[in-house]
Amino acid sequence: MNSMHKLFLWGLKVHILYSAGTKLAYQINQRFYGELHHVWCAPAPTTDSLVGSNPPTSDPWQICSDFSEHVVRGDGHSPLVTNNRAGIIRGAAARHAEGVIDSGTKDVIEQIANAAELQLFSPIFMVIPYSEVKDLVSPVPISERANPLSQEFIIPNLPRGKFDVWEWRR
Amino acid sequence: MGVATLAMKSFSSLLAGLPKAVVIEAIYLAGRELALETPSLEIARDTNGALTDDEHSIAIERAKSMIQEIEIEFKTPVAELSRKDRTSLSEGLYRYLRNLTQHGAAVQSQANTYLKEFGRAAI
């Protein structure tokens, strides 16, 4: 059991965590990984301008906004989209090594990541009640955060039943 | 020969002979650096069961070498690269990865079936 039962951000108790992803990654998790999602997440930014907030690269709202901009613009060569393809291929290698999928399925996922059209990289926004996942959350070590003061967490196996998800519309 | 092409030649020699999972990780890490414009090479210490600790260290080291190679060839930090250069390098890296992960007609056909399903499905 994770020892972090209460999560505080700048002294305030955190109730909700947020995460960003793409429609393609979501569908692959649902279809091939038993509806388990590997997510990086963060609390809502504080409204106090005197305290720090996550850099844009660790801010789910900003990540969704960036993906949306690239998809709307039709930028299929965007480094953000390209790296999401690579991330899906990396995820398939990890799930294969964990025994979640066989090598044939890994090959299919690799091919899906390579062939997917830009629209499938439309962003999704995930809303995760902390009370539902408190035993599943791991804090990202300070040395591995985009910014030492940023609040970032990993949930390696987040069941679909424990979060809400919105398709991001601009 | 363009600067991005020169960098890609260096990438090929940095990645040659490594296990596929290590190459995938190294390309993912370097590509993430290009995509996010912030130092993030440590991020993939996030669990990746496909790699041993030693392999993970090699992937991080190769990704750092690729980023250094870019900064030498372009004579500028990655964070200051133009959007065009960033896109060109990212595409080059991904092309390398795609060549490693392309499959035959049967797998392509299965993948296309799923892609159709995903395109129609609501989340």
Side-chain angles (χ1 to χ4, degrees):
Chain A
M1 182 180 290
N2 193 298
S3 61
M4 193 180 60
H5 287 289
K6 286 184 181 171
L7 183 60
F8 291 91
L9 173 61
W10 309 112
L12 299 172
K13 189 175 178 189
V14 170
H15 298 286
I16 307 285
L17 294 167
Y18 302 91
S19 185
T22 62
K23 190 174 175 184
L24 180 62
Y26 172 89
Q27 299 282 14
I28 286 171
N29 293 337
Q30 285 290 105
R31 186 69 180 76
F32 299 111
Y33 304 153
E35 302 189 3
L36 291 174
H37 299 252
H38 182 111
V39 301
W40 281 65
C41 48
T46 174
T47 53
D48 186 339
S49 62
L50 295 177
V51 298
S53 58
N54 282 10
T57 52
S58 301
D59 175 346
W61 193 272
Q62 185 64 47
I63 293 167
C64 278
S65 179
D66 289 346
F67 268 103
S68 177
E69 181 193 331
H70 292 209
V71 171
V72 168
R73 206 171 53 211
D75 187 358
H77 300 291
S78 141
L80 205 56
V81 170
T82 301
N83 194 239
N84 195 252
R85 292 185 198 273
I88 289 168
I89 290 169
R90 172 182 183 254
R95 294 295 192 185
H96 177 243
E98 291 164 10
V100 176
I101 55 172
D102 60 24
S103 61
T105 305
K106 178 173 71 67
D107 290 351
V108 170
I109 295 170
E110 288 175 348
Q111 193 65 38
I112 288 170
N114 287 330
E117 292 184 358
L118 184 59
Q119 284 303 317
L120 280 171
F121 294 90
S122 299
I124 60 164
F125 191 72
M126 300 160 74
V127 180
I128 309 162
Y130 179 67
S131 61
E132 290 283 318
V133 299
K134 62 180 185 295
D135 294 330
L136 305 175
V137 173
S138 302
V140 177
I142 288 174
S143 63
E144 297 171 22
R145 296 178 194 172
N147 176 318
L149 295 178
S150 69
Q151 300 285 320
E152 301 174 44
F153 305 91
I154 297 171
I155 308 177
N157 289 298
L158 175 63
R160 175 62 187 91
K162 293 190 180 295
F163 65 91
D164 283 342
V165 61
W166 290 357
E167 281 194 73
W168 186 270
R169 297 188 193 283
R170 206 166 97 146
Chain B
M1 188 181 292
V3 181
T5 309
L6 280 172
M8 283 311 302
K9 282 177 76 93
S10 303
F11 296 166
S12 296
S13 60
L14 283 168
L15 298 173
L18 293 174
K20 181 177 169 182
V22 176
V23 173
I24 289 171
E25 186 75 4
I27 287 178
Y28 170 77
L29 288 172
R32 190 174 170 90
E33 191 94 347
L34 287 165
L36 299 184
E37 308 174 23
T38 57
S40 57
L41 288 174
E42 304 300 310
I43 278 176
R45 290 216 176 117
D46 169 17
T47 53
N48 182 344
L51 300 174
T52 64
D53 288 348
D54 283 350
E55 287 174 332
H56 213 160
S57 297
I58 292 169
I60 290 172
E61 177 256 314
R62 295 301 162 95
K64 284 180 176 170
S65 297
M66 285 193 277
I67 294 300
Q68 283 169 358
E69 198 62 42
I70 290 168
E71 295 184 335
I72 290 167
E73 294 289 353
F74 283 82
K75 300 181 175 60
T76 184
V78 163
E80 293 171 18
L81 285 175
S82 69
R83 181 184 179 82
K84 185 181 166 201
D85 288 336
R86 198 181 291 280
T87 299
S88 168
L89 287 161
S90 179
E91 274 284 292
L93 273 176
Y94 177 62
R95 207 163 33 244
Y96 194 100
L97 180 58
R98 197 173 50 208
N99 287 340
L100 270 185
T101 54
Q102 279 290 8
H103 299 283
V107 173
Q108 286 179 25
S109 171
Q110 279 182 277
N112 287 338
T113 302
Y114 284 117
L115 284 167
K116 281 180 193 157
E117 177 191 313
F118 294 164
R120 286 192 302 266
I123 61 170

